[in-house]
Amino acid sequence: MKHKVAGRLQKSSGPSVWLEFSRLAELVEGINLGQGFPDWDPPEFVVEASIKSSKSKGIHRYARSSGHKNLVEEITRSYEERLKHKINPLADVLVTVGASEALYLALMTYVNPGDEVLVIEPAFDLYYGAINMAGGVAKGVSLKPGQDGFQLDPSDLDKQMSPKTKVLMLNTPHNPTGKVFTRDEYLEIAKVLKKYPNCIVVSDEVYEHLVYDDMEHIPFANIPGMGDRTISVYSAGKTFSITGWKIGWIIGNSDLVRPLQGCQQWVVFSVATHLQEAIAMCLQAAKEPYQGESSYYSWLREEYTQKRSILFEGLKHSGFKPILPQGSFFILTEYEHLKPEWDHFPDTENSMLEQGKIYINPATRSYKDYNFARNLAFNNSVVSIPVSAFMGYCAESSPDAQRYVRFAFCKSDALLRHACKKMIFS
Ligand code: PMP
Ligand code: GLN
């Protein structure tokens, strides 16, 4: 007997783009510029913190459900300055299993079945999955490519918002476009939000330290009048190159965070104690001078600035039309002019599918960006991510949805250079 998954999950129960393309990277033994994980070992002070913390007395027991005391206190010290307001470590902070669990909890706690959740598209695909699990209805507002990178027209946002909008999902620096929202853009968004006092904002800031040139990361909670309705989400994964640790945190007003702390008890109850202790040490250490820079954060920014330039120039040299990102570790590029014939599902993958070696979302079989990325993996051994994966359910309906692929530059300089050399098209 075939058991049906719950109706609200039918759209999202198939394999995501990560399952298909990470597997493809293994099968073709290719260079994986797909999933965004740094391919180097974390800095020495991070590894040392994990060794030291795992040797501490009493550290291998369940942690306090809302977060290990040393970590919530260190988060408070580190973020009071950035968020420019007092933080109560016990009531305003929640430690989660990565930013992923933070996003899930925020949506499960505040969205009733049928409530609308507005996402700025393209958007990190996990948002759509979590919205579905909560029984919410995702509505999109598109970022549009322009002279100065991707732009959001506040009047589009205004048109999509209604008293039914329970949550607005914001993300800066933005995955996948690399856009960094400016204070002026956020003031415009805040103007629209003021008409809808019941709408909560979930502000995903996991790439907070990865901003380039003269851009500045602006936490949405710092915009006047927005602090009390904003749930800010962070992750140690990107900042310390430890995506496998899965430690994230939420900061917000206690009225918003207390119910999330309540929900945490029923999901994972608590997060790995010794890793939380280690992150507390890392947050302290990261403020100190590092490798000739004023702090670990400045060093990280410099490193990524160089990697961005290697991949951007390399993609241009290969004939792509990349868009220079202002933040994050991703570059979007147009690709259709290079190999228009690569719009078909590759035969090699078809046979892998038949042999059960790979598992795909069948709806994507005809998508041009998926097929370009699949063919690129088979022919050039370089794995990218098709951007229609970040379009929720409108990848078929929106003409722009299949226009780009995404490359990640959180990889060694040598690997980035090697990947670009492999992408010379004849
Ligand atoms: N938000 C965005 C925008 C991301 O790109 C990711 C990917 N890692 C996450 C959240 C999830 O972060 P974590 O790995 O800490 O769960
Ligand atoms: N956030 C990372 C990316 O966009 C990883 C995504 C994931 O594994 N779910 O590449």
Side-chain angles (χ1 to χ4, degrees):
M1 161 142 188
K2 189 146 165 70
H3 299 283
K4 264 194 164 173
V5 299
R8 68 182 189 286
L9 296 181
Q10 265 160 17
K11 278 186 192 167
S12 52
S13 63
S16 67
V17 71
W18 315 108
L19 300 197
E20 177 181 350
F21 283 82
S22 298
R23 177 75 181 128
L24 209 51
E26 284 171 11
L27 288 169
V28 302
E29 296 179 18
I31 298 182
N32 190 355
L33 305 190
Q35 195 185 29
F37 61 92
D39 69 350
W40 51 84
D41 288 331
E44 195 56 31
F45 74 85
V46 176
V47 177
E48 284 302 320
S50 83
I51 295 169
K52 194 166 166 204
S53 72
S54 70
K55 289 184 175 168
S56 310
K57 280 260 169 295
I59 204 77
H60 296 282
R61 304 169 190 161
Y62 288 129
R64 172 178 166 264
S65 174
S66 303
H68 178 56
K69 187 167 167 287
N70 288 353
L71 179 55
V72 292
E73 285 175 353
E74 187 49 50
I75 289 173
T76 300
R77 278 191 288 277
S78 296
Y79 283 81
E80 274 187 340
E81 202 180 308
R82 287 181 219 164
L83 295 176
K84 302 189 175 78
H85 61 73
K86 289 291 283 171
I87 296 173
N88 174 347
L90 299 181
D92 304 349
V93 180
L94 171 63
V95 178
T96 53
V97 181
S100 305
E101 197 221 352
L103 295 161
Y104 173 78
L105 286 180
L107 291 160
M108 287 304 280
T109 306
Y110 285 107
V111 174
N112 275 310
D115 282 348
E116 290 180 0
V117 179
L118 208 52
V119 294
I120 295 179
E121 290 180 334
F124 181 42
D125 67 339
L126 181 138
Y127 300 172
Y128 302 99
I131 293 167
N132 271 347
M133 288 203 250
V137 178
K139 280 188 88 177
V141 189
S142 294
L143 285 173
K144 302 208 175 94
Q147 286 270 302
D148 302 319
F150 287 88
Q151 301 295 324
L152 178 74
D153 182 341
S155 68
D156 289 346
L157 180 70
D158 207 359
K159 274 184 221 140
Q160 288 292 65
M161 286 207 66
S162 79
K164 282 200 278 182
T165 316
K166 193 63 201 282
V167 176
L168 170 65
M169 306 292 298
L170 293 179
N171 174 211
T172 188
H174 185 257
N175 180 6
T177 63
K179 176 180 175 60
V180 174
F181 282 84
T182 62
R183 186 178 301 281
D184 285 349
E185 287 175 311
Y186 267 180
L187 287 169
E188 289 295 320
I189 292 177
K191 230 190 252 172
V192 177
L193 276 167
K194 280 186 185 140
K195 294 198 236 165
Y196 302 97
N198 294 327
C199 179
I200 289 168
V201 175
V202 173
S203 181
D204 178 346
E205 302 177 15
V206 301
Y207 301 103
E208 61 182 320
H209 296 292
L210 307 185
V211 287
Y212 310 116
D213 306 324
D214 51 1
M215 295 306 293
E216 185 194 353
H217 170 66
I218 310 286
F220 192 71
N222 284 4
I223 300 297
M226 295 295 117
D228 283 351
R229 59 156 90 183
T230 302
I231 295 170
S232 307
V233 173
Y234 302 95
S235 169
K238 324 288 162 180
T239 304
F240 296 111
S241 303
I242 44 171
T243 51
W245 288 27
K246 295 297 290 187
I247 306 283
W249 50 91
I250 281 171
I251 304 175
N253 174 307
S254 62
D255 287 345
L256 277 179
V257 174
R258 282 279 193 215
L260 294 169
Q261 295 180 334
C263 196
Q264 170 77 316
Q265 306 170 90
W266 314 124
V267 182
V268 296
F269 185 77
S270 64
V271 179
T273 319
H274 74 286
L275 293 180
Q276 294 195 58
E277 173 72 14
I279 299 295
M281 296 180 199
C282 292
L283 287 174
Q284 246 176 9
K287 296 176 205 162
E288 301 298 323
Y290 186 77
Q291 309 236 341
E293 296 289 338
S294 60
S295 69
Y296 168 71
Y297 302 124
S298 316
W299 174 84
L300 191 69
R301 196 169 161 150
E302 290 304 313
E303 282 287 296
Y304 273 112
T305 301
Q306 185 175 324
K307 291 181 186 299
R308 177 185 69 154
S309 152
I310 294 172
L311 184 60
F312 182 73
E313 294 305 327
L315 287 173
K316 273 206 303 197
H317 185 71
S318 298
F320 283 100
K321 295 179 188 167
I323 300 166
L324 190 69
Q326 300 163 323
S328 83
F329 45 48
F330 304 115
I331 296 186
L332 291 201
T333 176
E334 291 182 52
Y335 60 89
E336 273 178 88
H337 58 287
L338 289 170
K339 283 277 180 190
E341 67 275 25
W342 282 1
D343 60 352
H344 286 95
F345 192 74
D347 292 342
T348 333
E349 189 160 349
N350 222 7
S351 61
M352 287 176 169
L353 202 58
E354 280 163 11
Q355 292 165 45
K357 286 190 182 160
I358 198 159
Y359 183 37
I360 71 158
N361 176 350
T364 64
R365 265 188 101 98
S366 60
Y367 294 179
K368 283 186 287 187
D369 56 341
Y370 269 79
N371 285 336
F372 176 83
R374 287 168 178 141
N375 280 293
L376 186 69
F378 286 110
N379 291 292
N380 302 64
S381 295
V382 179
V383 173
S384 56
I385 294 292
V387 171
S388 64
F390 297 77
M391 295 299 294
Y393 315 109
C394 50
E396 269 168 310
S397 55
S398 154
D400 272 350
Q402 298 169 44
R403 191 168 156 191
Y404 305 104
V405 290
R406 189 196 83 175
F407 290 95
F409 57 87
C410 44
K411 310 292 166 183
S412 74
D413 296 0
L415 198 78
L416 293 171
R417 290 198 176 94
H418 189 45
C420 294
K421 277 199 194 124
K422 279 176 145 317
M423 292 190 289
I424 300 295
F425 302 95
S426 49

